[in-house]
Amino acid sequence: MRDFIDHALNLAKLKSARYADIRIIDRREQVASVKNGNVDGIGDQDSQGFGVRVLVNNSWGFASSAYLNKAEIERVTALAVQIANASGVVPGERVDLGEPVGTVGNYTTPIQTDPFTVSLEEKLDLLFRADAIMRRNAGVKVAESNIIAVRNHKFFGSTDGAFLEQIIYQCGGAISATAVNDTEVQVRSYPNSFRYQGTAGWEYVTKADFLGNAERVAEESVKLIFADVCPTKETTLILGSSQLALQIHESCGHPTELDRVFGTEAAFAGRSFLTTDKRNNFRYGSEIVNLTADSMRATGLGTFAWDDEGVAASTTSLVTNGQFAAYLMSRETASKLGLQSNGCMRADGWNRIPLIRMTNVSLEPGTWEFDDIIAGTDDGIFMETNRSWSIDDVRLNFQFGTEIGYEIKNGKRGRLLKNCTYAGITPEFWNSCDAIANEKYWTLWGTPNCGKGEPMQTMGTGHGASPARFRNVKVGIFR
């Protein structure tokens, strides 16, 4: 691989590229799913290819191929330079990448059991057993379960002198039960409504304990059919950890992506209300709100050793004691602020150009016991497990729906509620946070389906959270 990388980089320099990098990726992905006692899908795919990115004057060029040989590397590198030259016909502002990044090293995700050494038969057996437990409940009309295993073997080299090798494992799965009557459908999912996934081995699935939770999931889906509807009012809202993870993703992670601030994503995924004048000059949330971007936390879907520009994994305080402090950055965007990249550039495959993506953007734990948060709430609603979401292009106005909720009266959890929704404005919402549960209740969730870019790239991100309380939130208004 070193010879291929050196050949591409040397050719790019001969063709007047002032910077170039190449990624060679071998990816394997295995999936299995079961639905109502039958195999619903099986897939086992391998993909290998490379992508070359070049900077000629102040214009980028990118090209890729699935054929890894010397002649193809020459053709693709030349094509990337041609594309950069064509882009340069329309002059742009100067591209500054900051200090050279010449890191050399290798990294493999720490795992206990390689998920590809676990037979497909064993994986399906687990899914069938969870499926059977859920379908014991006569009210369940659809039972579903799935498992995924991914291995990305990546080589990276750049004209700065970087040469990196990483093997990133991902593993996970989920179960869900759907109850139906004449007028409605109710779903309960576990561990969350997205596939539960992290950078880990097979132990990540076994620890989730699908079998131990399947009966409860089925029972709750049926109970929701007969539950009371979430009332419409302004009240105290307590969000469970998995729902809060998506809240963080949409209203904290995306607006801190610096390419959005500069307008790169305006055509598809929108921009951000966090304009550069707000850095170190804007109250994002209450004093107990601390948000961190961390690409080193164990099992996070945003965990790695180096991003796709060769920048080392790092930890960044995005919001410190409620004050907005930092962005998710690339080398190019960071230089516009006189800063160094914090390593947030990633591509979802060898045939895609890297974009600024969330790493593990998390709400740091507070000091509260969860029971004390409930006990200290006279009137409110606890909501958990995402069902729907919507947020505007600049990440200000949002609304979310959850699978399940519980009324809280006089400090005690009361009746079950269905079709729960809440809405708010990002800084107002986070400024209303007055209690966060401690690290005992903190979970690092994975969001495997974050979309960005054109053509669309789907990336995994991580979000850690403990349950938290928010005051004066509008609920039940989007039934």
Side-chain angles (χ1 to χ4, degrees):
M1 292 300 179
R2 185 63 185 255
D3 290 342
F4 286 143
I5 287 174
D6 288 344
H7 190 60
L9 299 177
N10 289 333
L11 181 60
K13 287 189 288 187
L14 287 172
K15 291 183 175 292
S16 301
R18 62 183 179 95
Y19 171 84
D21 61 37
I22 176 173
R23 288 173 295 114
I24 302 172
I25 300 176
D26 187 347
R27 175 185 173 91
R28 183 182 178 189
E29 177 178 310
Q30 184 185 75
V31 294
S33 59
V34 167
K35 182 176 181 178
N36 285 354
N38 297 296
V39 174
D40 190 47
I42 292 177
D44 200 333
Q45 298 180 331
D46 284 286
S47 173
Q48 185 185 66
F50 70 96
V52 177
R53 188 177 66 145
V54 301
L55 180 61
V56 179
N57 296 321
N58 293 304
S59 298
W60 288 103
F62 176 79
S64 62
S65 174
Y67 301 99
L68 185 59
N69 56 62
K70 186 174 180 180
E72 188 70 352
I73 282 178
E74 292 176 355
R75 184 190 70 82
V76 168
T77 303
L79 178 58
V81 172
Q82 290 175 6
I83 292 170
N85 282 323
S87 299
V89 171
V90 179
E93 61 185 33
R94 176 170 173 76
V95 174
D96 182 0
L97 299 181
E99 294 296 319
V101 178
T103 313
V104 176
N106 58 75
Y107 169 82
T108 300
T109 302
I111 61 173
Q112 296 175 24
T113 304
D114 186 335
F116 293 99
T117 65
V118 179
S119 70
L120 185 59
E121 288 78 10
E122 183 176 343
K123 292 169 181 170
L124 285 172
D125 178 67
L126 174 62
L127 299 181
F128 277 126
R129 286 191 288 155
D131 178 276
I133 293 172
M134 289 187 286
R135 288 188 297 116
R136 287 176 192 165
N137 191 314
V140 173
K141 302 305 179 185
V142 181
E144 297 177 274
S145 54
N146 63 74
I147 284 172
I148 185 171
V150 178
R151 181 183 62 235
N152 275 308
H153 192 172
K154 180 188 306 183
F155 294 86
F156 173 87
S158 75
T159 51
D160 282 352
F163 182 78
L164 305 167
E165 180 182 3
Q166 297 187 82
I167 302 175
I168 308 294
Y169 284 90
Q170 298 175 6
C171 195
I175 62 174
S176 69
T178 303
V180 182
N181 68 3
D182 292 338
T183 60
E184 65 179 302
V185 175
Q186 293 293 335
V187 179
R188 278 298 284 138
S189 308
Y190 176 82
N192 59 1
S193 53
F194 302 110
R195 186 173 54 238
Y196 183 66
Q197 191 172 335
T199 51
W202 180 247
E203 64 278 359
Y204 198 75
V205 173
T206 57
K207 185 179 179 181
D209 191 14
F210 293 165
L211 302 183
N213 287 276
E215 184 176 0
R216 175 188 59 79
V217 167
E219 182 179 315
E220 288 180 354
S221 71
V222 175
K223 285 183 176 179
L224 282 169
I225 290 287
F226 305 100
D228 292 331
V229 174
C230 177
T232 298
K233 61 180 180 178
E234 188 173 285
T235 190
T236 297
L237 174 67
I238 301 173
L239 292 182
S241 178
S242 72
Q243 174 59 30
L244 193 51
L246 186 64
Q247 180 74 53
I248 294 165
H249 180 95
E250 300 293 350
S251 69
C252 303
H254 278 307
T256 55
E257 295 167 343
L258 191 51
D259 56 348
R260 287 178 178 271
V261 176
F262 289 137
T264 305
E265 278 291 297
F268 176 61
R271 300 194 65 166
S272 171
F273 73 93
L274 285 176
T275 49
T276 55
D277 60 298
K278 291 184 174 65
R279 187 167 69 95
N280 299 319
N281 190 37
F282 179 72
R283 176 155 289 284
Y284 201 97
S286 66
E287 290 188 355
I288 65 172
V289 172
N290 291 280
L291 293 161
T292 304
D294 187 343
S295 47
M296 300 186 290
R297 273 180 158 142
T299 76
L301 275 184
T303 296
F304 47 83
W306 302 276
D307 76 350
D308 286 341
E309 291 189 310
V311 178
S314 65
T315 300
T316 302
S317 177
L318 301 176
V319 174
T320 304
N321 298 329
Q323 290 290 330
F324 173 56
Y327 294 102
L328 306 173
M329 301 178 291
S330 65
R331 293 179 64 185
E332 180 181 355
T333 57
S335 70
K336 293 181 179 181
L337 299 181
L339 303 172
Q340 297 295 313
S341 171
N342 51 1
C344 298
M345 283 285 272
R346 291 191 289 160
D348 77 352
W350 51 263
N351 60 347
R352 294 290 184 266
I353 197 165
L355 304 171
I356 294 176
R357 305 307 298 259
M358 286 174 252
T359 53
N360 303 305
V361 178
S362 303
L363 176 67
E364 296 303 316
T367 59
W368 287 68
E369 290 293 328
F370 179 63
D371 288 347
D372 291 340
I373 295 178
I374 298 293
T377 304
D378 292 331
D379 182 82
I381 297 176
F382 171 78
M383 299 187 191
E384 178 64 304
T385 314
N386 186 259
R387 184 177 184 179
S388 64
W389 73 96
S390 176
I391 191 165
D392 68 20
D393 284 352
V394 295
R395 303 282 149 170
L396 269 177
N397 298 279
F398 62 79
Q399 62 186 58
F400 289 88
T402 66
E403 289 183 358
I404 197 167
Y406 290 92
E407 187 177 52
I408 300 170
K409 287 289 187 183
N410 301 317
K412 295 182 179 180
R413 194 173 78 168
R415 57 178 176 151
L416 182 69
L417 298 173
K418 65 183 176 184
N419 304 338
C420 294
T421 58
Y422 67 96
I425 299 172
T426 295
E428 293 180 4
F429 180 79
W430 286 103
N431 271 282
S432 75
C433 181
D434 73 343
I436 303 172
N438 64 43
E439 61 184 8
K440 181 168 60 177
Y441 306 94
W442 194 90
T443 300
L444 181 55
W445 300 91
T447 300
N449 59 341
C450 177
K452 188 175 179 180
E454 292 183 281
M456 168 79 79
Q457 296 190 41
T458 303
M459 184 61 68
T461 65
H463 305 287
S466 301
R469 184 173 64 194
F470 303 84
R471 299 291 190 177
N472 304 315
V473 179
K474 295 178 181 178
V475 304
I477 57 176
F478 297 102
R479 288 184 290 171

